[in-house]
Amino acid sequence: MSLKALDYDSLNENVKNCQYAVRGELYLRASELQKEGKKIIFTNVGNPHALGQKPLTFPRQVVALCQAPFLLDDPNVGMIFPADAIARAKHYLSLTSGGLGAYSDSRGLPGVRKEVAEFIERRDGYPSDPELIFLTDGASKGVMQILNCVIRGQKDGILVPVPQYPLYSATISLLGGTLVPYYLEESENWGLDVNNLRQSVAQARSQGITVRAMVIINPGNPTGQCLSEANLREILRFCCNERLVLLGDEVYQQNIYQDERPFISSKKVLMDMGAPISKEVQLISFHTVSKGYWGECGQRGGYFEMTNIPPKTVEEIYKVASIALSPNVSAQIFMGLMVSPPKPGDISYDQFVRESKGILESLRRRARMMTDGFNSCKNVVCNFTEGAMYSFPQIKLPPKAIQAAKQAGKVPDVFYCLKLLEATGISTVPGSGFGQKEGVFHLRTTILPAEEEMPEIMDSFKKFNDEFMSQYGVGYSRM
Ligand code: DCS
């Protein structure tokens, strides 16, 4: 009997081959255990509100008024909402053609794109053109749109850091392209060595792959490093020489937990380098409302900015975006608010600063607590989380543990993470989900659990790890 199109055996192979570990085996097992009544600490996804982070007041007030515009006609509105939130809601509604229930332009509301361009100009000190900014449903959709334009077939390669956030590996699989890995150096604080890039490209070319684009995640997920200006220059020069489009995933640009290496955007570094390179390198930069101190993951708001992309290509990207009609309009307003928050002198300014500083300062302390906690454990070493939202310790698994994993039919780090989950309720993602060097094992956890719960979580991790290491024999020295 012939198969129907949606019978499993006849599905598009690219769909079946695509893996996304952040919601993989560990997450599924954690959900089962939760149903059975076990307390689970979900540290597998960078989803701050799900772990108790409170929304910032001002943006929610503005969007609430936009969602319920009749409140603006209520004579008592000023008793519940501050005047600046009311004014902002009216401003955003005036940018729409029929409020939040109407589709917007497929690139997003022109007024919000203008606010994004102004933000980029203030951040980088260089002009930004709203016509080259598209608003998207989260950064993920933007990344998918761009990879879709780049990947023509299996012979097209995309340079992706390893370890990487699996949006990239999964999307490249879905689109039928080839992932070309370049390894980040764990012993160099997850730094990026351009020699590794050269090697990766040479190897891919020897296999008949045309390398077309390079992804950087800065600050890194899962690795947490911030790229230095010198490193970004080398990367841009490399992209220029190799004629690669640079995809700069900068969704964690507000999440910085040290002062030595502040975030610096790829766009700024490119512009600082001057002509001819600043006019040559094709760059797409991504941002989101899901991260930073906003953490508004469920709103699904993002943007990408295009630099040195020919107008006819921009038109094609617009055409493809049009197929989905419009990004979420409420999310566009969150993006507008993120790039133009209350200013000094505004009624809501003090509260906004108090709330946002509170979140960022706590994240900074939590980054420290987690790294120190992991480094105090037997056979665990962990680079400091300079930025982003994750800790990515290396677990030196003893040979007996690796053997036991094999017997259980599990990848060794999956085995370790499953045991950790069963023993403590801490739900992490095994390093193999992000890619890692052969024979080296990691796990990823977010730094998002509530600060007051952090000592208990780290104690329970340590206790589990001690027991695991003594069960399977130590015999490994620290790196
Ligand atoms: N890029 C990176 C590097 C990310 O980490 C994420 C989300 C995204 C893009 C996409 O975000 P939005 O689509 O929400 O804008 N990070 C996931 C993660 O690793 N855990 O949680 C979500």
Side-chain angles (χ1 to χ4, degrees):
M1 227 185 354
S2 72
L3 292 168
K4 294 183 204 133
L6 288 181
D7 286 340
Y8 181 77
D9 287 342
S10 91
L11 284 185
N12 178 346
E13 285 300 319
N14 291 345
V15 170
K16 289 199 265 184
N17 291 337
C18 148
Q19 303 284 337
Y20 184 71
V22 173
R23 292 246 159 114
E25 179 177 354
L26 259 291
Y27 173 75
L28 297 175
R29 180 71 189 127
S31 305
E32 262 173 33
L33 288 172
Q34 190 182 39
K35 264 191 220 139
E36 290 165 16
K38 190 173 171 74
K39 184 183 173 216
I40 302 295
I41 304 153
F42 281 100
T43 70
N44 57 309
V45 186
N47 194 7
H49 291 210
L51 286 153
Q53 183 177 309
K54 296 269 176 310
L56 299 166
T57 306
F58 180 75
R60 288 296 184 99
Q61 286 170 327
V62 174
V63 177
L65 287 168
C66 291
Q67 288 284 10
F70 44 84
L71 293 179
L72 291 167
D73 301 327
D74 188 311
N76 293 326
V77 66
M79 291 167 74
I80 309 177
F81 293 94
D84 53 353
I86 296 172
R88 260 321 177 85
K90 288 182 177 162
H91 159 73
Y92 285 120
L93 286 172
S94 78
L95 299 181
T96 67
S97 49
L100 268 50
Y103 294 129
S104 71
D105 186 281
S106 311
R107 297 164 296 184
L109 297 163
V112 173
R113 291 157 61 213
K114 183 165 163 279
E115 290 176 349
V116 172
E118 288 161 359
F119 154 77
I120 295 171
E121 273 179 37
R122 281 194 308 275
R123 185 192 67 188
D124 295 343
Y126 291 100
S128 168
D129 180 355
E131 291 302 303
L132 301 176
I133 292 164
F134 282 23
L135 304 180
T136 53
D137 293 338
S140 310
K141 281 287 163 68
V143 168
M144 289 170 162
Q145 282 170 16
I146 298 299
L147 285 174
N148 189 29
C149 294
V150 172
I151 296 174
R152 299 163 302 181
Q154 211 186 348
K155 291 281 176 201
D156 280 347
I158 312 292
L159 273 169
V160 174
V162 173
Q164 53 107 29
Y165 169 51
L167 161 67
Y168 292 95
S169 47
T171 308
I172 294 167
S173 292
L174 262 186
L175 296 170
T178 295
L179 185 149
V180 180
Y182 65 90
Y183 287 92
L184 301 174
E185 287 302 328
E186 183 164 17
S187 56
E188 300 292 327
N189 222 11
W190 295 116
L192 191 165
D193 182 347
V194 181
N195 291 321
N196 288 352
L197 285 178
R198 288 201 186 92
Q199 268 176 16
S200 298
V201 170
Q203 199 185 351
R205 287 195 179 135
S206 74
Q207 292 162 358
I209 304 290
T210 309
V211 183
R212 306 246 300 156
M214 169 172 177
V215 175
I216 53 172
I217 307 175
N218 180 35
N221 174 11
T223 40
Q225 82 288 18
C226 295
L227 294 177
S228 68
E229 183 174 352
N231 216 183
L232 284 164
R233 279 172 182 265
E234 286 181 304
I235 293 164
L236 286 159
R237 222 171 279 123
F238 177 79
C239 288
C240 187
N241 292 340
E242 303 295 339
R243 306 186 71 71
L244 303 177
V245 182
L246 183 64
L247 308 187
D249 184 328
E250 299 178 338
V251 299
Y252 296 103
Q253 59 189 272
Q254 290 177 324
N255 299 95
I256 308 292
Y257 312 122
Q258 38 74 44
D259 302 318
E260 296 74 40
R261 249 196 302 222
F263 169 76
I264 172 160
S265 75
S266 309
K267 165 99 181 284
K268 174 170 167 46
V269 177
L270 179 62
M271 292 301 124
D272 281 349
M273 289 170 88
I277 198 166
S278 62
K279 295 194 180 334
E280 280 281 319
V281 177
Q282 298 186 334
L283 167 69
I284 316 273
S285 313
F286 301 91
H287 201 5
T288 183
V289 302
S290 302
K291 311 296 172 184
Y293 43 84
W294 292 69
E296 291 277 9
C297 299
Q299 311 290 352
R300 313 305 302 128
Y303 78 73
F304 60 83
E305 183 194 25
M306 297 171 273
T307 306
N308 296 326
I309 307 298
K312 282 181 79 171
T313 302
V314 176
E315 272 175 37
E316 292 298 310
I317 299 173
Y318 182 16
K319 178 186 75 186
V320 173
S322 309
I323 303 171
L325 294 160
S326 155
N328 294 320
V329 177
S330 56
Q332 297 182 43
I333 293 172
F334 271 101
M335 181 52 86
L337 288 159
M338 188 177 96
V339 296
S340 55
K343 294 184 192 54
D346 291 354
I347 302 164
S348 298
Y349 179 74
D350 288 345
Q351 183 180 7
F352 182 83
V353 170
R354 201 176 338 109
E355 290 174 353
S356 48
K357 260 179 95 175
I359 293 166
L360 272 184
E361 283 170 2
S362 167
L363 282 171
R364 192 184 259 248
R365 289 191 294 271
R366 283 180 268 172
R368 184 43 79 194
M369 279 184 206
M370 274 227 150
T371 315
D372 289 350
F374 283 129
N375 280 321
S376 75
C377 293
K378 220 177 266 167
N379 286 11
V380 179
V381 279
C382 187
N383 283 324
F384 176 61
T385 301
E386 294 178 343
M389 289 183 173
Y390 312 96
S391 195
F392 196 60
Q394 184 185 140
I395 317 289
K396 293 173 175 277
L397 292 177
K400 262 171 77 183
I402 296 175
Q403 235 169 20
K406 270 194 193 132
Q407 267 162 14
K410 302 280 177 207
V411 175
D413 56 5
V414 174
F415 178 77
Y416 180 90
C417 291
L418 279 169
K419 293 248 177 231
L420 172 68
L421 172 68
E422 306 276 347
T424 63
I426 305 172
S427 163
T428 57
V429 185
S432 47
F434 306 93
Q436 55 199 352
K437 283 186 178 158
E438 191 66 32
V440 180
F441 303 104
H442 295 87
L443 64 80
R444 187 192 80 168
T445 162
T446 68
I447 58 166
L448 298 174
E451 195 173 338
E452 60 277 13
E453 286 174 25
M454 208 58 113
E456 194 187 321
I457 294 174
M458 294 319 289
D459 282 350
S460 118
F461 175 84
K462 193 177 169 77
K463 184 165 165 278
F464 159 78
N465 184 71
D466 275 348
E467 281 165 15
F468 184 96
M469 293 301 167
S470 52
Q471 183 181 352
Y472 292 102
V474 179
Y476 258 73
S477 59
R478 293 169 62 96
M479 194 164 70

